[in-house]
Amino acid sequence: MSVIQSFGPTSNAYLKGNFSPQVHEEEFNDLRIEGIIPPELNGKMLIRTGPNPRFKPRDMKYYHWFDGDGMMNAFYFENGKVRYKNRFVQTKKMETGG
């Protein structure tokens, strides 16, 4: 079964659902919080580095999520609030546009 995703129809599990690529750099301020943020996190950040294709894979059938271009995701904890920002890893492929 094919599902429409960012790069078009695919049955590849690494390009849909939980593994679906984030194709935009975004920033969100003052995220909604459920529960309590431990005070020890104030002034800290959580950074996640992971594979994330910026450009449509050449062969979507055989794409594996380790093949992604790369994205940094950061959560910033400040004064009881949380903000989020993501950015693609700046590679030669990114500079040349794929």
Side-chain angles (χ1 to χ4, degrees):
M1 178 177 153
S2 292
V3 175
I4 302 284
Q5 292 295 329
S6 303
F7 300 126
T10 183
S11 59
N12 186 318
Y14 297 115
L15 292 170
K16 65 182 187 177
N18 249 7
F19 297 104
S20 183
Q22 173 63 30
V23 296
H24 302 287
E25 292 183 336
E26 301 190 78
E27 195 166 336
F28 300 100
N29 295 307
D30 202 12
L31 295 173
R32 185 181 65 148
I33 306 298
E34 292 184 15
I36 298 170
I37 300 172
E40 296 82 11
L41 290 179
N42 190 47
K44 308 283 194 232
M45 69 176 117
L46 168 69
I47 299 176
R48 179 190 180 273
T49 306
N52 191 80
R54 169 63 182 92
F55 305 102
K56 182 177 180 177
R58 289 188 180 132
D59 189 342
M60 290 184 32
K61 182 177 180 182
Y62 295 105
Y63 173 83
H64 188 276
W65 72 314
F66 292 164
D67 296 333
D69 300 300
M71 178 174 274
M72 304 293 289
N73 300 272
F75 290 88
Y76 301 88
F77 301 91
E78 300 161 339
N79 302 317
K81 295 182 179 184
V82 179
R83 61 186 175 95
Y84 167 83
K85 183 184 340 186
N86 67 349
R87 294 293 179 264
F88 284 101
V89 175
Q90 297 300 306
T91 62
K92 286 197 181 274
K93 185 177 178 183
M94 287 287 295
E95 292 172 8
T96 61

